[in-house]
Amino acid sequence: MAATRVMAAATNTSTSLIFKRPPSFAIPKKSNSLSLIFNRTLSKRLFTSRAIYRPEEVRPVEEGQPQTHEYRVFLVDTSGKKVSPWHDIPLHLGDGVFNFVVEIPKESSAKMEVATDELYTPIKQDTKKGKLRYYPYNINWNYGLLPQTWEDPSFANPEVEGAFGDNDPVDVVEIGEKRRNIGEILEVKPLAALAMIDEGELDWKIIAIALDDPKASLVNDVDDVEKHFPGTLTAIRDWFRDYKIPDGKPANKFGLGNKAANRDYALKVITETNESWAKLVKRSIAAGELSLAQVDGESKHPKQQRGASGCVVQASFRVAQASFRVMNRIFPAAELRSRLGKQKE
């Protein structure tokens, strides 16, 4: 989903660390891509935050009128307190089951998304050049996000053409028969993954089904989708490939051989993006414009926490990332490794 593009302004604490020690660069041994790594320490478990609400403890509440710039759908707890659908709903439920937050109901066209840069990250209709955005045709599946995941825009994925993350939570395409509601939380099981590349950014699409769907017991992996939902994987890929063409933009691309990866690969994507989210909320990676309120009881938006020095870090990071994207395209990995080695000498 489109959101605020990568900005790396730091909080006061992380700003001082960044100025004292610049980001380190590493080239994976089996990779042809250069990865920009900010103290990347992978966890072996799914991480969660302290501010956790079970789905039955929250409900969606609308503010404003639909199809207006002011319209928002918030999640609130039993006391009426607003909570974040991105940060405060647990990801993992055990046994390969995950929570999924609906942003766009099937057979609708308003482009709704979690506002990752607003306090409590409510769901709103996306805008472009001051106008509300709509898909050129209805989306045929329920669409939304996996809470507590994040596609790191500083990480070049060596398995997907070195594409950088899109700075958003991971998207889910839920293929069940029922039309769901904005802000509804479903228990789903992943079945497959599509590696969409949107204007050079990696935008994962996890194909899943709600556990309460009549066909849920029949599908457990990518081959089952083809058997019980024939043509669906191709339809999803083609829909996301072509939806920007009516606006005069090129078709999106897909990595991993232009095919849907299996369930195990989808689980791998979920684990890795949960680990990236954990680093984000722990402030191991600068948040930029992203709102992290509620994950540790904060009430301030990052914009209220930054000083002028944060702007300098933000600009420096954007320049560095752009430079390494260019380098990654110009030089083969071996040559780039050689050049970096000579610089160190």
Side-chain angles (χ1 to χ4, degrees), residues 140-189:
N140 306 125
W141 312 273
N142 296 301
Y143 189 57
L145 73 135
L146 287 175
Q148 300 185 340
T149 61
W150 180 57
E151 299 192 47
D152 183 352
S154 71
F155 176 60
N157 192 310
E159 298 177 5
V160 190
E161 302 180 19
F164 290 81
D166 72 347
N167 203 29
D168 281 329
V170 170
D171 298 329
V172 172
V173 182
E174 195 276 318
I175 63 175
E177 66 177 21
K178 185 177 179 181
R179 185 181 191 270
R180 307 294 182 157
N181 300 312
I182 299 175
E184 188 174 353
I185 302 172
L186 307 178
E187 295 181 0
V188 300
K189 57 180 177 180

Side-chain angles (χ1 to χ4, degrees), residues 189 191 209 213-221 223-225 227-229:
K189 57 180 177 180
L191 306 170
I209 190 167
D213 189 84
K215 291 187 178 181
S217 62
L218 302 176
V219 287
N220 295 291
D221 212 326
D223 293 336
D224 298 327
V225 179
K227 180 178 179 180
H228 297 283
F229 294 83

Side-chain angles (χ1 to χ4, degrees), residues 68-122:
T68 66
H69 289 78
E70 295 75 28
Y71 181 66
R72 299 289 186 274
V73 177
F74 288 90
L75 291 186
V76 300
D77 66 12
T78 53
S79 69
K81 178 183 177 182
K82 293 176 180 176
V83 302
S84 169
W86 181 19
H87 301 306
D88 299 333
I89 303 302
L91 168 64
H92 190 56
L93 296 174
D95 297 325
V97 178
F98 301 85
N99 278 321
F100 157 60
V101 182
V102 179
E103 294 169 304
I104 305 175
K106 67 186 299 183
E107 305 306 333
S108 64
S109 63
K111 192 175 186 303
M112 308 298 294
E113 64 179 19
V114 160
T116 58
D117 59 345
E118 293 185 12
L119 190 62
Y120 306 116
T121 64

Side-chain angles (χ1 to χ4, degrees), residues 19-318:
F19 276 120
K20 289 179 181 178
R21 183 170 55 191
S24 58
F25 301 92
I27 302 174
K29 293 181 180 180
K30 297 183 180 179
S31 169
N32 290 324
S33 303
L34 182 70
S35 298
L36 174 61
I37 300 177
F38 280 86
N39 298 324
R40 185 174 296 280
T41 305
L42 293 180
S43 169
K44 297 300 181 183
R45 62 182 178 84
L46 286 165
F47 179 84
T48 190
S49 74
R50 287 177 288 173
I52 288 298
Y53 293 83
R54 294 191 299 273
E56 62 270 22
E57 296 175 331
V58 299
R59 59 187 175 88
V61 172
E62 296 177 304
E63 292 188 7
Q65 294 298 315
Q67 302 187 53
T68 66
H69 289 78
E70 295 75 28
Y71 181 66
R72 299 289 186 274
V73 177
F74 288 90
L75 291 186
V76 300
D77 66 12
T78 53
S79 69
K81 178 183 177 182
K82 293 176 180 176
V83 302
S84 169
W86 181 19
H87 301 306
D88 299 333
I89 303 302
L91 168 64
H92 190 56
L93 296 174
D95 297 325
V97 178
F98 301 85
N99 278 321
F100 157 60
V101 182
V102 179
E103 294 169 304
I104 305 175
K106 67 186 299 183
E107 305 306 333
S108 64
S109 63
K111 192 175 186 303
M112 308 298 294
E113 64 179 19
V114 160
T116 58
D117 59 345
E118 293 185 12
L119 190 62
Y120 306 116
T121 64
I123 299 170
K124 68 172 186 178
Q125 188 166 353
D126 189 24
T127 60
K128 185 175 183 179
K129 296 181 180 179
K131 296 183 178 180
L132 296 172
R133 294 186 67 186
Y134 294 86
Y135 291 120
Y137 29 73
N138 284 351
I139 189 168
N140 306 125
W141 312 273
N142 296 301
Y143 189 57
L145 73 135
L146 287 175
Q148 300 185 340
T149 61
W150 180 57
E151 299 192 47
D152 183 352
S154 71
F155 176 60
N157 192 310
E159 298 177 5
V160 190
E161 302 180 19
F164 290 81
D166 72 347
N167 203 29
D168 281 329
V170 170
D171 298 329
V172 172
V173 182
E174 195 276 318
I175 63 175
E177 66 177 21
K178 185 177 179 181
R179 185 181 191 270
R180 307 294 182 157
N181 300 312
I182 299 175
E184 188 174 353
I185 302 172
L186 307 178
E187 295 181 0
V188 300
K189 57 180 177 180
L191 306 170
L194 285 167
M196 190 176 91
I197 303 173
D198 182 357
E199 298 182 12
E201 294 182 335
L202 180 56
D203 187 2
W204 288 108
K205 308 299 179 188
I206 301 298
I207 315 302
I209 190 167
L211 293 189
D212 62 358
D213 189 84
K215 291 187 178 181
S217 62
L218 302 176
V219 287
N220 295 291
D221 212 326
V222 63
D223 293 336
D224 298 327
V225 179
E226 289 293 354
K227 180 178 179 180
H228 297 283
F229 294 83
T232 295
L233 292 174
T234 299
I236 292 171
R237 183 198 62 197
D238 292 353
W239 195 99
F240 283 100
R241 180 192 65 197
D242 298 339
Y243 80 90
K244 290 187 176 181
I245 293 178
D247 293 331
K249 291 188 176 182
N252 290 319
K253 300 192 303 178
F254 288 86
L256 304 180
N258 206 38
K259 296 179 180 179
N262 63 17
R263 172 184 178 274
D264 286 343
Y265 199 97
L267 294 176
K268 172 178 173 286
V269 170
I270 294 171
T271 299
E272 290 176 350
T273 53
N274 174 253
E275 291 168 346
S276 294
W277 174 83
K279 293 181 178 66
L280 178 70
V281 299
K282 290 176 181 177
R283 277 61 169 187
S284 298
I285 299 177
E289 297 295 309
L290 300 176
S291 175
L292 304 184
Q294 291 301 103
V295 294
D296 53 4
E298 291 185 351
S299 60
K300 289 186 177 181
H301 185 279
K303 289 180 180 178
Q304 299 172 315
Q305 299 172 0
R306 283 201 314 275
S309 57
C311 298
V312 176
V313 176
Q314 180 183 92
S316 299
F317 178 82
R318 294 178 73 180

